[in-house]
Amino acid sequence: MPSRSNQSPRPRKGRSEKTYNPALHILGIVGKVVGTFLLVMLITGIILVCFAMVYIKTVILPQAHLDANFDMNLTSTIYYMNQETGQYEEHLSLHGTENRKKVTYDQIPENLVNATIAIEDERFLTHDGVDWKRTLNGVLLMFTGKDIQGGSTITQQLIKNATQYDDVTVKRKILEIFTALDFDATYSKEQIMEWYLNLIYLGDNCYGVATAAENYFGKDVSELSLAECASLISITNNPTLYGPNSTVRITNEETGEVTTGRERNKQRQELVLWKMLDLGMITQAEYNEAVAEELVFTRSEDEKKPSTIYNWYDEQVITDVINDLMEEYGYSEQLAENMVYSGGLKIYACVDIRIQSIVESVYYDQNSLVLTSSKGQDIQSSIVIIDPEGNVVGLAGALGEKPANRVLNMASGTVRQPGSSIKPLSVYAPAIELGMITPASVYADEPVRVLNGKNWPLNNPQTYRGNITVNTAVEVSSNPVAVRILEEMGAETSFDFVEQNFHIDLEESYLSNGEVKNDYGSSQLALGGLTHGVSVMDMAAAYSVFPRDGVYIEPRTYTKVTQEVDGVEQTLLDNTNTEGEVILSTKTTYYMNQMLKNVVSNGTGTAARISGMTVAGKTGSTTANNDRWFVGYTPYYTAAVWVGYKTPERIYASNNPAAVLWQKVMSQVHEGLENKDFTQASGLTPVQICKDSGLWATEACLSDPRGDRVFQMYLFSDDVPVENCDQHTLVDVCTESPILGADGNPIEGLYHLAGEYCPRAADESLGITEGTVKSIGVLISDESGIEYTKEYLEAQGSCTVHTSAPQPPEPEEYDPSTFRLEDQSTWPTQEQWPGFDPTNPATYPTVPPEPTDSGGSGGETTEPSASPSQTPAPEPTPPEEPYVPAG
C-alpha cells in the first residue's frame, strides 16, 4: 500500500476555498501580539495585586494600627499659693525643646476648629481619614516626578506628627494611608482634631495652639477671636514664612515689594477667612469684621523674644524636683530633667511671692552691699528664708542681677565655713540637752592652752573676761567658753548631734595633700572651722528648730508634684508632711531662744534689730575673716545670710555685713506683722544670779566695783542653784582714797581699804554708805586686766588720807536769847551750855543783866529790882519721853 504521505491532499467537500489577503493576515498577527500583551499585563497586574495584597496584609497592616498614646512633650507648670486667697495659681511654665500645653476639645474655640478644616482639610468631617480625590492627585504628581506629599488630610498630618515619619517614600505614603483609615475608624473626629491642634508646630518654639495663643496674643486659647483664630492657624503652613514674629524678609522679583512675616501672616489669614466664608462657616458680616480687626500681638514686629531666666527660687524648685525624682525612682539625671521640662508635670511650690520679691529687690541690687576685695572682687551673698512649716518662702543665690540659668547658687550649691554661727548647734544646744549646762553656768573666758607659743583660742576683739556665764558667753561669742564646753562634752558627741539632729553633713575623713582631715576637733566644732563647710540652706533649716520648739523639718521648696496619666492626675512626689522630728526639749529651746535674743539686743548681733519685733540669732566669722554670717529668726520666719567673696578673700568691714543684709530684707518681710514672743515655757522660777559665780546673788554681788553683777534669769526648777555666791566678799574702803594706776590717775571703782580713822556715821551699816566708807564686793580682774580682788586691795594698804584721829571741832557760840523751853530746837548742847538740864530752871540759859549806876553815897548798895519786862519763869513740864541730851 502506498504511503499516505505521498498522496496529495484532497479538498474537502462542501467548502469553497478562501482567497488569501495579506492585510488581514498582518492584522491577525498584530491582534495576536496585542492580545498576548494584554493577557500578560492582566496576568502581571493580577500577580502584582496579589503581591500587593500580601504585602499590605503582611507588612503594612501590622504597622497601620496606631494607639493614641502620643508623647506630646508637654510643658510643665509651677504653681504658687496666693496668700490672700489661699488658692494655687499658675506661676511659671517650664519647657525643654518643645513648649507645649495640652488643651481639651471643649477648650478650643469653634472658629479655630473651622479655620483648621477650611485651610487644611475641607472634607475632614466627611472622609474616612483619607481624601481619595487629593490622594489620586498626589499619585499623579508622583508619576510626573513631583512631590508626593500633597493630599494629606488632618488625620494623616496628625499621624505624621505623632510618628515622626520623615522619609518621603511610597511605602511611607501607603502606610500613612492605611494608618489613617484605621485611625479614623478607631477614634472620633473631635479626638483627632484635639490631638492635631495640640501637636502642631506654630513657630517661636510653640507646640500646640495653647502655648501659641499665649505667645502671640497673650491669651488663653479659649479667648481668641475669629480673626486671631485665622491668624494662628495660618502659621502652621510654614512657621518660618507665616509666623507673626518671623524675621524673614521676602522680595517679589517682579514688583520688588518686600514682605515681612507679619504681613504674610495677614495675607494668609484673609485667605483662611475667605475659605471659611466660601464653605459657609461664617457670614459675610463676620468675614468683614474679622478682616478689618487689627491683630494685636504681644511683641512688636522687630522685638526679639526675651530669653527666660528663671529666678533663684524657681531654679531651686527645678533642681529639687530633679534630684527627688532621681532618688525616688532611680531615674538618670537626664531622664529626670526631661520629665521636669517636658513631662507635663504640675509642681506646687512653697514660694511666697511677696517675700521673694522683697529678697530680689535687695539682692538683685549690687548696691545693697558695696565691698571690693584687694583683688578687685565684688562682695557676694546669699539668703534663705524658712517659715515655721519648713517652707522655703524666699531665697537668693547671689548678689546682683542673675545673669543666666543654672549658674552657681551660693544658697544651696556651695558650702562655707560657718565660724561662730555653728556654736548654738554644736556646743550650746547639745550641752543643754545633755544636762551639762544652763545659761547660768560659769566658765572661764581665758586661754584654754598655748599653741605655738600663743594663747589659744583668741577672742574677737582679742580680750579675755575671766569667769562668765554661758548666757554672757553666747552674747559676746566667747571662743574659750565654747571650746571648754565642747571638750567637756566630747567632740564625737557634738559631731553626732549635729549630723543626726540638725542634719548637717560633717566630714569624717578627708585626704587633702597627704593629710587626713575631719570635723572632730575643737577648732571645727567649737569655732566653726569645718573641713568643708555648711550651706546657707542647711543653716537656715537648723536654726528654724529653735522658734519651732525643737522640731526639725527638712526644708522644702515644693509640696507635691503631679502628672496626668490616662486623664487622671497622679502624685509623683509628696512633700506635704510637715510633722517633722522632735530633736530638742522645751527646756533647751527656751534657754536658746532667750540667749540668742540677748545676742541681738545687747551682743554681737545688734545690727540685725528690727524695730518692734522680737529677733534672735547668732553672728559668725572665720579666723581669716573670709566668711561672715548672721542666722536669725523671729516667731514668724528664720533666715540665714552668708557674705563673702566667690573666691575666698579677707572681708574688711566695720560691722557684720551679713547682719546688715539680714536686717534690710527681714525688716521689710515683717512690715505689718504684730510683735510676739517665742513660746513661753511653764515651771520657770525667777532667780537673781551672780554673773561671776552663777549662784544666788548676795549684797556683795550688788556692790561690785565694776557695777551691778546681778541679773534676773528664769530657770527651770531643777536648774535653780541651791547655794549663794561664793566669789564675792564685802570689804570696807575709803572713797576719799582712790587707788592710782600706773599713769597716776585713779582707777575707777577701786579704793584703799577703810582705816581706823575714816569717817563713818554711827547708824550706818556695811554696804554703800553716805560717808566716805564704802563696802564693795571684790572678785576678779576685768577685761582691761585691772585686778578687782580682795588680795589686790589688801596689798595696796589702808586709806592714805585719814591717818590720825580728827580734832573735835569748836562748838558754835550759843545765843541765850533764843532759848525757848517749849521748843527743843532752841536748846543748847552741853558744849555750848555746860550743865544745861531742861528739868532744872537754875540751869537754863539766861541773858546777863546790864551793869547799873547806884547813884547813892556812902557806898551803899541796893538790891536790883525786877525788870518790868521780865516775868518769872513758869514751872517746867517734864517731857513725855525721857530726855537724851544732844552731843
Side-chain angles (χ1 to χ4, degrees):
M1 176 180 286
S3 172
R4 293 188 60 182
S5 60
N6 295 326
Q7 296 179 0
S8 300
R10 297 177 180 178
R12 294 181 181 181
K13 295 181 178 180
R15 289 187 180 183
S16 60
E17 294 187 10
K18 293 183 179 180
T19 304
Y20 176 75
N21 188 333
L24 292 175
H25 180 71
I26 293 172
L27 289 174
I29 293 173
V30 172
K32 290 179 180 180
V33 173
V34 172
T36 302
F37 177 76
L38 292 175
L39 180 61
V40 171
M41 289 291 292
L42 177 62
I43 295 172
T44 301
I46 292 172
I47 293 172
L48 290 175
V49 170
C50 291
F51 273 113
M53 292 179 65
V54 172
Y55 178 78
I56 291 171
K57 182 178 180 180
T58 60
V59 178
I60 300 297
L61 291 181
Q63 302 179 46
H65 183 72
L66 178 66
D67 288 322
N69 297 323
F70 303 133
D71 179 11
M72 289 194 179
N73 208 10
L74 298 177
T75 296
S76 296
T77 305
I78 295 178
Y79 296 85
Y80 77 95
M81 180 174 287
N82 186 318
Q83 300 299 322
E84 295 182 358
T85 65
Q87 301 296 317
Y88 277 102
E89 296 180 1
E90 186 173 319
H91 168 56
L92 179 68
S93 295
L94 307 175
H95 60 83
T97 57
E98 297 183 7
N99 182 12
R100 187 198 317 278
K101 287 185 180 180
K102 184 180 178 181
V103 288
T104 57
Y105 186 82
D106 59 357
Q107 295 172 303
I108 301 171
E110 183 181 1
N111 282 329
L112 184 55
V113 172
N114 288 337
T116 304
I117 293 173
I119 198 66
E120 295 292 330
D121 185 3
E122 63 183 61
R123 286 179 287 277
F124 171 73
L125 297 176
T126 58
H127 63 60
D128 53 3
V130 178
D131 189 333
W132 292 107
K133 179 179 178 180
R134 297 175 68 185
T135 300
L136 290 174
N137 183 59
V139 172
L140 292 175
L141 291 174
M142 177 186 70
F143 280 109
T144 60
K146 297 181 180 179
D147 191 356
I148 66 172
Q149 294 188 82
S152 293
T153 63
I154 287 176
T155 308
Q156 290 171 286
Q157 292 181 52
L158 170 61
I159 292 168
K160 177 183 176 181
N161 288 334
T163 59
Q164 297 297 308
Y165 287 155
D166 294 327
D167 53 322
V168 184
T169 63
V170 174
K171 174 186 174 182
R172 201 277 300 169
K173 196 65 178 179
I174 294 173
L175 181 58
E176 181 185 289
I177 289 172
F178 278 91
T179 303
L181 293 171
D182 177 77
F183 198 82
D184 193 85
T186 306
Y187 300 103
S188 70
K189 296 292 185 180
E190 288 80 6
Q191 289 174 306
I192 294 171
M193 179 61 72
E194 176 186 313
W195 293 325
Y196 174 76
L197 292 177
N198 276 294
L199 279 169
I200 56 174
Y201 179 60
L202 292 162
D204 265 10
N205 200 34
C206 296
Y207 290 80
V209 293
T211 50
E214 291 181 359
N215 179 67
Y216 293 115
F217 299 107
K219 294 182 177 181
D220 186 89
V221 66
S222 62
E223 300 172 344
L224 294 180
S225 67
L226 170 60
E228 291 166 339
C229 287
S231 171
L232 192 67
I233 206 62
S234 296
I235 302 171
T236 190
N237 181 264
N238 190 329
T240 302
L241 295 180
Y242 299 110
N245 298 325
S246 172
T247 58
V248 175
R249 301 292 190 267
I250 297 179
T251 303
N252 188 303
E253 295 181 359
E254 296 180 359
T255 64
E257 180 186 3
V258 179
T259 58
T260 64
R262 196 151 295 186
E263 290 169 338
R264 294 188 296 273
N265 177 266
K266 178 60 178 174
Q267 293 168 1
R268 188 162 178 82
Q269 177 231 30
E270 293 183 6
L271 173 63
V272 172
L273 292 170
W274 180 85
K275 287 284 292 182
M276 294 177 73
L277 175 63
D278 185 57
L279 294 172
M281 294 175 173
I282 58 175
T283 65
Q284 184 67 49
E286 290 172 324
Y287 168 82
N288 294 338
E289 183 180 352
V291 169
E293 181 181 323
E294 180 185 0
L295 295 172
V296 180
F297 298 101
T298 55
R299 305 202 308 271
S300 62
E301 190 166 2
D302 295 323
E303 182 182 355
K304 291 184 178 180
K305 184 177 182 179
S307 58
T308 301
I309 297 179
Y310 303 129
N311 67 31
W312 288 113
Y313 194 100
D314 296 333
E315 197 162 80
Q316 186 67 51
V317 172
I318 294 168
T319 299
D320 290 346
V321 173
I322 290 173
N323 291 338
D324 290 349
L325 285 172
M326 292 168 62
E327 181 178 351
E328 182 75 16
Y329 297 100
Y331 293 158
S332 67
E333 184 175 3
Q334 185 61 54
L335 177 56
E337 187 172 324
N338 288 343
M339 285 192 66
V340 168
Y341 286 106
S342 306
L345 305 185
K346 292 183 178 180
I347 303 169
Y348 296 88
C350 300
V351 64
D352 186 312
I353 295 297
R354 182 186 71 89
I355 293 177
Q356 181 63 22
S357 65
I358 292 172
V359 170
E360 292 176 6
S361 70
V362 174
Y363 268 78
Y364 278 32
D365 182 2
Q366 187 73 50
N367 292 323
S368 293
L369 182 62
V370 181
L371 288 172
T372 304
S373 74
S374 59
K375 296 182 179 179
Q377 292 189 86
D378 287 332
I379 198 69
Q380 272 302 334
S381 178
S382 58
I383 184 173
V384 173
I385 306 175
I386 298 177
D387 73 5
E389 286 72 45
N391 299 314
V392 178
V393 293
L395 67 84
L399 191 63
E401 196 74 26
K402 190 169 183 285
N405 292 323
R406 309 310 289 266
V407 294
L408 179 63
N409 184 332
M410 288 180 275
S412 62
T414 62
V415 292
R416 295 290 182 131
Q417 292 189 356
S420 293
S421 62
I422 197 71
K423 293 174 182 175
L425 311 178
S426 59
V427 177
Y428 297 115
I432 295 173
E433 190 72 11
L434 294 172
M436 289 176 47
I437 63 171
T438 73
S441 300
V442 170
Y443 285 83
D445 181 38
E446 297 172 352
V448 176
R449 61 183 66 91
V450 175
L451 293 178
N452 300 320
K454 296 181 179 180
N455 289 333
W456 183 89
L458 295 174
N459 277 324
N460 185 19
Q462 297 180 11
T463 58
Y464 297 105
R465 303 169 182 83
N467 284 354
I468 58 175
T469 63
V470 167
N471 181 77
T472 301
V474 174
E475 184 178 306
V476 300
S477 196
S478 166
N479 287 330
V481 171
V483 170
R484 292 179 191 280
I485 296 174
L486 177 83
E487 294 185 350
E488 182 181 330
M489 176 171 48
E492 186 172 346
T493 300
S494 171
F495 184 102
D496 292 342
F497 198 96
V498 172
E499 280 214 323
Q500 296 171 15
N501 292 54
F502 290 112
H503 300 271
I504 293 176
D505 290 332
L506 301 176
E507 183 58 63
E508 292 190 54
S509 179
Y510 175 71
L511 184 63
S512 175
N513 297 324
E515 180 183 358
V516 177
K517 298 182 178 181
N518 58 53
D519 286 333
Y520 283 103
S522 298
S523 294
Q524 297 92 314
L525 291 170
L527 306 182
L530 298 178
T531 303
H532 302 300
V534 62
S535 73
V536 178
M537 180 75 74
D538 286 345
M539 288 296 281
Y543 268 74
S544 68
V545 170
F546 298 132
R548 203 183 290 126
D549 300 327
V551 177
Y552 177 87
I553 300 176
E554 184 176 358
R556 61 181 186 177
T557 57
Y558 68 91
T559 56
K560 65 178 179 178
V561 177
T562 65
Q563 184 182 42
E564 186 175 311
V565 179
D566 296 330
V568 179
E569 189 169 346
Q570 298 182 357
T571 299
L572 293 179
L573 298 171
D574 189 349
N575 266 348
T576 55
N577 183 11
T578 59
E579 292 183 3
E581 169 192 2
V582 179
I583 66 167
L584 297 176
S585 65
T586 300
K587 175 190 288 190
T588 301
T589 55
Y590 174 79
Y591 283 157
M592 291 305 303
N593 287 338
Q594 299 308 305
M595 291 192 294
L596 292 177
K597 281 198 298 184
N598 293 337
V599 171
V600 177
S601 59
N602 303 308
T604 59
T606 55
R609 294 173 182 167
I610 298 176
S611 177
M613 181 58 61
T614 300
V615 179
K618 184 70 182 72
T619 56
S621 61
T622 55
T623 302
N625 210 36
N626 291 343
D627 302 281
R628 302 298 298 269
W629 291 78
F630 184 76
V631 190
Y633 56 91
T634 70
Y636 295 99
Y637 300 104
T638 300
V641 171
W642 164 85
V643 168
Y645 295 105
K646 188 174 181 180
T647 301
E649 285 190 65
R650 187 173 185 83
I651 300 169
Y652 294 94
S654 59
N655 52 19
N656 187 329
V660 172
L661 274 181
W662 192 96
Q663 201 277 342
K664 281 187 178 182
V665 173
M666 298 301 282
S667 60
Q668 297 181 64
V669 168
H670 287 79
E671 283 182 1
L673 295 178
E674 181 182 357
N675 188 26
K676 60 181 180 179
D677 204 349
F678 304 112
T679 301
Q680 297 301 300
S682 58
L684 292 167
T685 301
V687 184
Q688 298 293 320
I689 295 292
C690 172
K691 295 179 181 179
D692 297 301
S693 66
L695 302 176
W696 279 100
T698 65
E699 182 183 0
C701 304
L702 293 168
S703 302
D704 192 290
R706 296 166 295 168
D708 187 355
R709 302 295 290 173
V710 179
F711 70 102
Q712 178 171 285
M713 177 180 292
Y714 285 86
L715 297 175
F716 288 87
S717 57
D718 55 345
D719 293 329
V720 175
V722 295
E723 298 176 345
N724 291 336
C725 173
D726 57 1
Q727 300 295 306
H728 282 96
T729 184
L730 281 171
V731 295
D732 291 345
V733 297
C734 180
T735 58
E736 292 184 4
S737 180
I739 295 175
L740 304 181
D743 58 359
N745 295 318
I747 300 174
E748 184 178 357
L750 286 186
Y751 306 94
H752 288 93
L753 296 175
E756 176 185 1
Y757 301 113
C758 293
R760 177 188 226 153
D763 60 349
E764 294 170 345
S765 59
L766 293 179
I768 299 175
T769 70
E770 295 179 359
T772 59
V773 173
K774 177 180 180 181
S775 295
I776 60 174
V778 183
L779 184 60
I780 60 172
S781 60
D782 70 352
E783 56 267 23
S784 65
I786 298 174
E787 293 187 32
Y788 286 80
T789 63
K790 180 180 179 183
E791 290 75 11
Y792 176 77
L793 292 188
E794 289 175 343
Q796 307 307 310
S798 299
C799 173
T800 60
V801 176
H802 308 104
T803 57
S804 60
Q807 294 296 321
E810 290 292 331
E812 184 180 354
E813 185 177 355
Y814 180 72
D815 182 3
S817 65
T818 62
F819 176 74
R820 299 288 186 271
L821 182 64
E822 65 276 11
D823 183 1
Q824 293 189 20
S825 66
T826 64
W827 294 357
T829 65
Q830 288 296 313
E831 288 79 7
Q832 293 173 323
W833 201 277
F836 171 73
D837 181 358
T839 63
N840 183 2
T843 64
Y844 294 169
T846 58
V847 178
E850 293 289 336
T852 59
D853 185 5
S854 61
S857 59
E860 286 185 6
T861 61
T862 59
E863 290 292 330
S865 61
S867 171
S869 61
Q870 282 187 323
T871 57
E875 287 293 326
T877 303
E880 295 181 2
E881 298 289 338
Y883 172 70
V884 178

